[in-house]
Amino acid sequence: MWKGLLLRSSTCLLQVGAPRFLLQGCLTSPFLRPLAKRLLHRPFPIPLGTGYFLTHTGTRGYKKDTKSTLEFPVTPVTVTDIKQYLRSKDIPFHDGYSCLHIPSIFVDLSTRKEVFSLFIDKTTGQFLCKDTLVEGSWEDLQDCLEVMQKDGEESLNPNVLLGYPESVEEQEERERELREVQRIWSTSVPLTDLPEDEAQLIKTIFQITKISNATLKKFGVRLFKPTKSLVFPWFGGPDSSLKGVKLLSAQRTETDKVTYNEATVPKSNSYYNLFGLPLVGRLDSEVVVTGHEFDTMAVSQATGLPSVALPRGVSCLPPILLPYLEQFKRVTLWLGGDIRSWEASKSFSRKLGIRRCSLVRPGEYRPCAVEALARGKNLSNIIKASIPAAHKSIVSFKQLREDVYGELVNTDQVAGVKWTRFPELNRILKGHRKGELTVFTGPTGSGKTTFISELALDLCMQGVNTLWGSFEINNVRLAKIMLTQFAMQRLEENLEQYDFWADKFEELSLYFMTFHGQQNIKTVLDTMQHAVYLYDINHVVIDNLQFMMGQENLSVDKFAVQDHIIGVFRKFATNSSCHVTLIIHPRKEEDDRELQTASIFGSAKASQEADNVLILQEKKLVTCPGRRSLQVTKNRFDGDVGIFPLDFIKSSLTFSTPIKGKHKLRKVNTKPENEEEDEATAAASKKEEVKKDKVEKVKGNTKTPRTVKSPANGNGAIQK
């Protein structure tokens, strides 16, 4: 962990409320002193995120924490590099599905035997020793091996990897979390100890009446009476000690549907439990991975197969858990009964090793496991009918038939995640879908960044893991905007509420790249791929494209450079099953002209590759409200396009859709008063002239009376 910690200024990811992993200990072994000396005297920049405190009497203490920074490999490592290095050190290794396995260097040689308990991630080079829970980067492992070889040692002290010393506040927080875990666990009651009628009522509330008391006892599920929540334990480590708990509460809606609310101690970003893992035997070669604890218990009860549940459902599969799934030759992913779980299954299978994974396809006859158990379905047959995750390059309609049917049955889910703040956008785009490229543009100063930050925040609040790449404004300012939009108020005027909203904001799966200004496209792409693998990012926002063009070869045509960058993002979105929103500045237009698709700078490639094109229109000659509107000019999903007005609420930095008919657009008078009076007089004169012309025209069309002589007296008489 030394290099990763000392070179943390090079990191490329910043997360709101990131987890921390600090392994404490001391360099007691004499042969480790040269290593410590070499590292401590190595020149390095001041690490980004070093903890410090600025306090002032009577004001809130300001702290910048180390845990807000995530490590990104300074030099990306490949599995070929790792293998070559291990061979050069004569270290035996086993090539696993997602990790390389080697004998642990942190275990005594006498007890090590032939157990390969140290796992090296093939993608990132991060390692984990399952016997001692020591972990670190690939650079850390190299340093350890170099010292061992130089000093002729056969193992290292597990406490050799030191992190930053914890501050007093961090120590208190960690101890408080441990006390809270123990308090919840000790005061909760096993369901088997409850009276039969009370236990049955609890099972009815949570809709798990088909799960037996024996299964609940086997998995250690308890009831926390103060909040009427079920408690799922996290046992981990070599001693299988209690590391954390998840509390699940149920609430019935007006439509008689049950919704669940989860809370974890420690916080969700540090909660790495594979529920059910302690029940898996060392010789088991097959496992069923589910997205919920209820599904895991249902599979175990109905089939007898080993089953584990992911800590955060279908939203994330943390790579730190991959070593615990390496022993299985077959992994069946049964993450739920909807399209979102199906997409997550295909994404997770790439992490786990696509050749050993099979997927339970969602559908009417294949719901989530606990629901299938309640319906009396045969769970063993459903698992046997799962399809391989690996597909050939060419498929027939027979292989796609069920997928097509699934999209027809689940049209609403296929359309994607719905926005809660922009219902009109749901009407046009139908939802936010993975694997698509959205191009967004608007006039300079119209609020593009503010609008797209709210658009992304809306999705992030619904579980869409989001990565922001803001090259135009710094992350602190962007985070301030999003926090204001999240709280729906200006926190400058309500500082006493800051900690409340900041704590809630931390729980979002929201990450920021630390780039600023012009950047190379390859560096940005490497960061995005790293984030998708490590944090299961579903949505990447790039603000904006022009900041990635300055680093390219100046002798190359700028339009060709832009086409190349757009093609790279298009390929990334498709291959990573990740939605990319790309902000592009428009060409300069007259103030009184609306933007069009052709107004996008270098529009040909951008509009062709994009699945969606959004334009933030601004009428500068129109008074507020009704000044801005959002126009969808391309929608590849179903072809619907349209435009709807937006109102900007300055107090919360948010946009809203005004009520129909509420606002009428009124043009602004831009001419002087005397000029307006002259024009009014001229208009009145012109109106009078038009009126006279009409009267004369009417008179001219009237027939003139004829004069004829009367035969009686010869006098002229009028005859009509």
Side-chain angles (χ1 to χ4, degrees):
M1 208 174 285
W2 301 293
K3 280 188 179 178
L5 292 169
L6 298 180
L7 298 179
R8 194 169 283 186
S9 58
S10 308
T11 187
C12 296
L13 287 178
L14 175 67
Q15 181 199 15
V16 177
R20 64 181 183 276
F21 304 97
L22 298 178
L23 296 170
Q24 293 185 316
C26 55
L27 294 170
T28 56
S29 182
F31 62 84
L32 291 176
R33 290 171 187 163
L35 173 61
K37 185 177 180 180
R38 177 164 57 89
L39 290 171
L40 292 174
H41 288 83
R42 180 183 298 168
F44 60 94
I46 297 175
L48 179 67
T50 302
Y52 61 87
F53 297 86
L54 296 177
T55 58
H56 187 274
T57 305
T59 62
R60 179 184 182 277
Y62 170 71
K63 172 192 173 187
K64 189 172 183 181
D65 200 349
T66 57
K67 69 179 182 180
S68 64
T69 305
L70 299 180
E71 292 186 19
F72 180 76
V74 179
T75 305
V77 63
T78 66
V79 65
T80 303
D81 297 333
I82 297 173
K83 289 180 179 179
Q84 288 178 350
Y85 182 82
L86 294 177
R87 289 192 185 102
S88 69
K89 300 298 181 184
D90 294 326
I91 298 175
F93 64 86
H94 170 66
D95 195 348
Y97 299 102
S98 55
C99 301
L100 296 177
H101 315 171
I102 67 172
S104 176
I105 60 174
F106 303 102
V107 177
D108 220 21
L109 185 62
S110 58
T111 58
R112 188 186 305 170
K113 299 181 181 179
E114 297 298 326
V115 179
F116 289 20
S117 59
L118 193 148
F119 296 82
I120 306 172
D121 193 301
K122 290 182 179 180
T123 304
T124 64
Q126 294 280 330
F127 74 89
L128 169 69
C129 173
K130 287 173 62 176
D131 289 336
T132 60
L133 296 185
V134 176
E135 61 179 282
S137 67
W138 171 240
E139 289 84 0
D140 298 337
L141 186 59
Q142 285 179 301
D143 288 337
C144 290
L145 292 172
E146 293 291 343
V147 169
M148 285 179 60
Q149 185 181 36
K150 181 178 180 180
D151 295 343
E153 298 293 336
E154 296 177 341
S155 64
L156 290 180
N157 189 324
N159 295 326
V160 66
L161 292 181
L162 293 174
Y164 283 119
E166 286 185 320
S167 65
V168 175
E169 185 183 49
E170 288 173 332
Q171 291 177 357
E172 290 177 350
E173 181 182 357
R174 183 167 55 85
E175 291 172 358
R176 181 187 59 79
E177 287 181 341
L178 290 175
R179 288 196 302 269
E180 184 68 9
V181 168
Q182 295 297 334
R183 184 188 70 84
I184 294 173
W185 185 246
S186 61
T187 56
S188 58
V189 182
L191 290 180
T192 52
D193 292 351
L194 296 174
E196 183 61 31
D197 56 343
E198 186 177 350
Q200 191 62 31
L201 177 61
I202 294 297
K203 291 168 69 173
T204 303
I205 293 174
F206 284 90
Q207 296 185 327
I208 54 172
T209 54
K210 295 296 183 179
I211 296 181
S212 66
N213 291 340
T215 301
L216 293 169
K217 183 178 181 180
K218 174 183 174 183
F219 282 88
V221 181
R222 294 187 178 186
L223 176 68
F224 187 59
K225 288 188 175 182
T227 58
K228 295 182 180 179
S229 303
L230 292 182
V231 181
F232 302 105
W234 170 18
F235 296 109
D239 55 351
S240 296
S241 58
L242 184 66
K243 302 291 185 182
V245 292
K246 176 186 285 189
L247 289 89
L248 184 72
S249 60
Q251 184 178 4
R252 192 173 293 275
T253 62
E254 295 179 356
T255 58
D256 209 32
K257 182 180 178 182
V258 176
T259 59
Y260 298 103
N261 296 314
E262 294 182 355
T264 61
V265 184
K267 292 182 179 180
S268 59
N269 287 327
S270 301
Y271 189 80
Y272 291 103
N273 176 28
L274 277 175
F275 179 73
L277 187 63
L279 301 177
V280 176
R282 288 184 174 272
L283 300 180
D284 289 328
S285 60
E286 182 179 357
V287 69
V288 180
V289 178
T290 72
H292 199 280
E293 290 79 5
F294 289 160
D295 294 328
T296 288
M297 291 188 287
V299 169
S300 177
Q301 177 178 307
T303 67
L305 292 172
S307 182
V308 295
L310 297 176
R312 278 163 266 174
V314 299
S315 65
C316 184
L317 171 56
I320 195 67
L321 297 176
L322 295 180
Y324 298 101
L325 298 171
E326 279 289 292
Q327 75 178 72
F328 304 108
K329 295 181 179 179
R330 179 181 177 183
V331 178
T332 302
L333 294 169
W334 190 352
L335 300 185
D338 56 22
I339 293 297
R340 187 181 176 191
S341 67
W342 174 245
E343 292 176 347
S345 298
K346 293 190 285 188
S347 175
F348 293 167
S349 65
R350 289 194 287 268
K351 280 188 181 182
L352 292 166
I354 199 167
R355 296 189 180 277
R356 64 165 172 165
C357 289
S358 59
L359 317 178
V360 175
R361 193 195 310 270
E364 181 181 357
Y365 303 104
R366 291 176 294 274
C368 60
V370 70
E371 187 178 345
L373 181 66
R375 294 186 190 178
K377 296 186 178 297
N378 191 318
L379 274 67
S380 296
N381 289 343
I382 293 177
I383 293 173
K384 289 178 182 178
S386 60
I387 64 171
H391 292 286
K392 295 180 180 179
S393 299
I394 300 176
V395 296
S396 64
F397 178 73
K398 183 178 180 180
Q399 295 170 285
L400 300 175
R401 178 170 178 164
E402 287 299 318
D403 286 342
V404 174
Y405 179 74
E407 294 207 359
L408 294 174
V409 172
N410 304 285
T411 53
D412 193 54
Q413 295 176 8
V414 171
V417 179
K418 302 295 187 293
W419 289 273
T420 59
R421 302 190 181 194
F422 303 99
E424 286 294 316
L425 196 58
N426 292 330
R427 180 181 60 81
I428 302 174
L429 285 181
K430 307 302 182 292
H432 173 90
R433 296 166 290 275
K434 291 183 180 180
E436 292 191 354
L437 175 65
T438 294
V439 169
F440 178 69
T441 191
T444 301
S446 60
K448 293 190 296 295
T449 300
T450 304
F451 174 77
I452 211 68
S453 68
E454 185 182 10
L455 201 73
L457 176 65
D458 189 340
L459 297 169
C460 189
M461 292 169 64
Q462 300 177 68
V464 178
N465 299 348
T466 304
L467 174 66
W468 252 95
S470 176
F471 307 102
E472 198 163 354
I473 65 175
N474 62 52
N475 289 326
V476 174
R477 188 174 164 197
L478 177 61
K480 177 186 172 184
I481 293 173
M482 299 186 78
L483 181 60
T484 302
Q485 294 172 333
F486 181 72
M488 300 289 285
Q489 61 178 309
R490 284 198 176 276
L491 294 174
E492 299 97 317
E493 303 168 1
N494 303 281
L495 288 177
E496 70 280 357
Q497 299 183 28
Y498 176 79
D499 286 324
F500 171 79
W501 288 109
D503 288 343
K504 288 185 173 295
F505 194 63
E506 273 190 13
E507 296 176 3
L508 298 178
S509 295
L510 178 62
Y511 303 80
F512 300 93
M513 299 185 200
T514 57
F515 297 128
H516 189 67
Q518 294 181 346
Q519 295 296 330
N520 182 278
I521 179 61
K522 185 179 183 305
T523 307
V524 175
L525 191 65
D526 288 343
T527 305
M528 291 164 56
Q529 290 173 338
H530 177 78
V532 167
Y533 177 82
L534 210 57
Y535 310 110
D536 294 296
I537 296 299
N538 306 133
H539 185 200
V540 178
V541 183
I542 300 295
D543 183 16
N544 57 62
L545 176 100
Q546 276 79 359
F547 276 89
M548 276 170 290
M549 296 175 60
Q551 292 291 317
E552 305 299 330
N553 193 339
L554 297 178
S555 63
V556 180
D557 180 20
K558 61 181 178 180
F559 294 109
V561 173
Q562 177 173 324
D563 289 351
H564 167 70
I565 294 173
I566 292 173
V568 167
F569 282 128
R570 167 76 270 174
K571 185 177 180 181
F572 170 83
T574 303
N575 294 344
S576 302
S577 188
C578 177
H579 193 113
V580 176
T581 298
L582 185 60
I583 300 176
I584 304 178
H585 284 314
R587 295 197 297 261
K588 297 297 180 182
E589 300 280 5
E590 298 294 333
D591 289 345
D592 59 343
R593 292 183 59 184
E594 288 190 347
L595 298 180
Q596 302 174 354
T597 303
S599 303
I600 301 173
F601 185 81
S603 61
K605 183 76 170 180
S607 58
Q608 289 171 3
E609 295 285 3
D611 296 286
N612 314 294
V613 176
L614 308 182
I615 302 176
L616 184 63
Q617 301 283 8
E618 182 184 32
K619 297 182 179 179
K620 295 184 178 179
L621 302 181
V622 173
T623 57
C624 294
R627 175 181 173 181
R628 297 178 180 87
S629 58
L630 185 69
Q631 183 176 8
V632 180
T633 61
K634 183 178 181 180
N635 174 10
R636 187 170 281 165
F637 180 70
D638 67 353
D640 284 354
V641 295
I643 187 172
F644 58 91
L646 294 171
D647 277 352
F648 179 65
I649 305 171
K650 192 172 183 179
S651 60
S652 59
L653 302 180
T654 58
F655 291 83
S656 66
T657 306
I659 301 173
K660 291 183 179 180
K662 183 177 179 181
H663 303 305
K664 292 184 178 180
L665 303 185
R666 178 168 61 88
K667 289 193 175 181
V668 179
N669 293 326
T670 57
K671 299 179 180 179
E673 292 183 1
N674 57 351
E675 190 175 339
E676 290 181 8
E677 292 176 359
D678 294 342
E679 287 190 357
T681 304
S685 302
K686 189 174 183 180
K687 189 175 181 180
E688 287 294 327
E689 291 177 3
V690 172
K691 188 175 181 180
K692 289 179 180 179
D693 290 343
K694 287 184 178 180
V695 172
E696 291 176 0
K697 190 175 182 181
V698 170
K699 288 181 177 180
N701 291 337
T702 304
K703 292 183 178 181
T704 305
R706 291 186 296 115
T707 303
V708 296
K709 289 183 178 180
S710 171
N713 52 22
N715 296 329
I718 302 295
Q719 181 180 358
K720 291 183 181 180

